[in-house]
Amino acid sequence: MFNKLFDQSIDIKKRMFAVLAAAGLVSNNLGFAVNIAVYGVNAITAACGLCTLIIGAAGFFGLKTGKVRLPLGIILGLIIAFEFPMLFLAYGASTFPYMLLGLFTIIAFCDEKRRGVLFSAAMVYDGVIIGLRYALCDNIPRYDSSAYFGTGLSAFLISAAAMFYCLSIIIRQYEEKNKELKKLADELGEINKLDAQTGIYNRSYLTEYLNELVRGEKKFCAALIDLDNFSSINEKYGLPFGDMVITEFAGIINNAAGSSGIAARYGGQKFMIVCLGDVMRTEDMLENVSKEYAAFSVSEKQEEFTFSAGIEEYSHGVEISRIFRNAEEKLARAKVKGKNRVVSK
């Protein structure tokens, strides 16, 4: 039951009602016991016992049926309009913490549309009760100071414990919701970094990643890759197979990049591998990619597919846009030279 208070799949109103019902039932039972201990069995004690039974029944009904609006109104109306004012009229200032507890329940458990109106009405109502108490003080039975002390101390402790319990649960629910929202935001942020078709990083994140490397003054190479004769592959084997080639190649370069950098889709059949290292290391990585890509194509269509690439090594102070342009120029030279090659100078 306790864990359900933090189950985000359960409507927040139902979870808040569970908090109120539990706090109300426990607090009233304690108050009822204190009344018997201090004042014995009298009309006020009997009224407190009746309130406890009504709160318990309303709480059970709301939790059992999931229809919490009416039970919530019954519990709030009972404690704010009847029970707490009754105790104040009977015992005076010693029960004043209960009046504050009633106002707290309006703030904590009423929805935003009604909160302000109900709080204002309760303030006026409590003011009338306070005035009535002092207007009728001569006609109200008096008790000895020890009784008032016991009542005041118990009212303070019960009210403080109820507010602590309610606020602790509410704060934890808030924190759990924040964790869920943060997790969702992180997941959405990660999704926004990825290319929808291939699942590797997109060009937007590629630029962000390169900017981070530049700010950190890290040594890296950017290899721009274009699949050779890709339009012919589409024409010969069909678009679905062409999509398969794109996805498979993306997986190959993503595995090749590993922890040494990232792989991203640059656009269409173009990709970029960012390698944290020098040109030689990047060339070795592309050599392995070439072998895996050829092995894939031979197993699928008994012919070797190739790619061309241009490698640009980062120099201090060079802008990202210049890195892209230089890599594109080297890729273009690789194409002019006959494809299936890597140009780095």
Side-chain angles (χ1 to χ4, degrees):
M1 174 62 190
F2 185 76
N3 289 333
K4 289 185 178 179
L5 294 175
F6 311 106
D7 186 347
Q8 301 298 327
S9 65
I10 299 175
D11 183 74
I12 182 64
K13 291 183 179 179
K14 294 179 182 178
R15 286 185 281 127
M16 292 296 289
F17 175 77
V19 175
L20 175 65
L25 187 60
V26 172
S27 298
N28 267 267
N29 272 304
L30 290 173
F32 178 64
V34 168
N35 264 279
I36 291 178
V38 175
Y39 301 105
V41 178
N42 57 22
I44 302 299
T45 303
C48 287
L50 180 61
C51 290
T52 301
L53 292 175
I54 294 173
I55 289 172
F60 178 80
F61 175 81
L63 295 174
K64 187 71 175 178
T65 63
K67 299 176 181 178
V68 301
R69 186 172 181 178
L70 178 60
L72 176 66
I74 291 173
I75 294 174
L76 290 179
L78 186 67
I79 62 176
I80 295 168
F82 174 71
E83 184 178 21
F84 293 164
M86 173 194 69
L87 291 171
F88 187 83
L89 286 172
Y91 306 131
S94 60
T95 62
F96 192 72
Y98 289 137
M99 306 284 276
L100 295 177
L101 180 60
L103 295 174
F104 166 77
T105 58
I106 293 176
I107 298 171
F109 300 104
C110 287
D111 60 55
E112 188 175 359
K113 292 181 180 179
R114 299 176 178 83
R115 187 180 300 138
V117 173
L118 291 176
F119 185 83
S120 300
M123 287 278 286
V124 173
Y125 182 71
D126 286 348
V128 172
I129 295 298
I130 293 171
L132 187 61
R133 161 71 192 187
Y134 288 102
L136 301 175
C137 62
D138 293 336
N139 301 315
I140 296 175
R142 294 180 180 276
Y143 300 92
D144 59 43
S145 58
S146 62
Y148 287 127
F149 173 77
T151 302
L153 180 61
S154 62
F156 169 74
L157 293 176
I158 290 171
S159 298
M163 285 191 284
F164 175 80
Y165 167 76
C166 293
L167 283 174
S168 296
I169 298 297
I170 291 169
I171 290 170
R172 182 170 168 187
Q173 287 180 344
Y174 172 79
E175 290 172 345
E176 292 291 328
K177 189 65 178 179
N178 267 0
K179 287 180 183 177
E180 184 181 87
L181 291 174
K182 185 178 183 303
K183 181 181 178 183
L184 181 60
D186 290 342
E187 290 174 352
L188 290 174
E190 192 63 30
I191 289 173
N192 288 334
K193 296 177 183 178
L194 303 179
D195 174 64
Q197 180 182 350
T198 63
I200 64 173
Y201 290 117
N202 56 29
R203 185 165 176 175
S204 176
Y205 179 72
L206 170 65
T207 303
E208 180 182 330
Y209 179 77
L210 289 174
N211 277 314
E212 289 177 2
L213 294 182
V214 169
R215 284 194 295 270
E217 298 185 350
K218 293 185 178 180
K219 184 176 183 180
F220 68 90
C221 291
L224 182 60
I225 304 167
D226 183 63
L227 303 184
D228 293 333
N229 307 312
F230 185 70
S231 59
S232 299
I233 293 173
N234 276 330
E235 291 172 5
K236 187 175 181 180
Y237 299 113
L239 293 177
F241 180 73
D243 289 340
M244 178 182 173
V245 170
I246 291 289
T247 303
E248 183 67 25
F249 188 78
I252 292 172
I253 61 173
N254 196 46
N255 290 334
S259 60
S260 301
I262 65 165
R265 191 173 186 183
Y266 196 77
Q269 73 272 12
K270 289 184 178 180
F271 300 85
M272 179 168 278
I273 293 181
V274 179
C275 178
L276 301 178
D278 56 17
V279 173
M280 184 177 296
R281 184 176 183 181
T282 307
E283 288 176 339
D284 290 340
M285 183 184 293
L286 292 178
E287 180 65 26
N288 292 330
V289 170
S290 178
K291 292 176 181 177
E292 286 193 48
Y293 184 44
F296 156 74
S297 61
V298 168
S299 66
E300 291 292 330
K301 298 299 179 183
Q302 291 73 54
E303 67 172 290
E304 287 191 6
F305 296 165
T306 63
F307 63 81
S308 301
I311 300 176
E312 176 65 12
E313 186 172 19
Y314 171 67
S315 298
H316 179 72
V318 176
E319 295 182 353
I320 301 301
S321 57
R322 169 56 67 181
I323 294 173
F324 286 155
R325 284 199 300 272
N326 290 350
E328 286 170 354
E329 290 173 2
K330 291 174 181 178
L331 172 61
R333 294 208 299 272
K335 290 288 188 181
V336 170
K337 291 180 179 180
K339 303 178 182 179
N340 188 23
R341 67 192 65 235
V342 175
V343 173
S344 59
K345 296 180 180 179

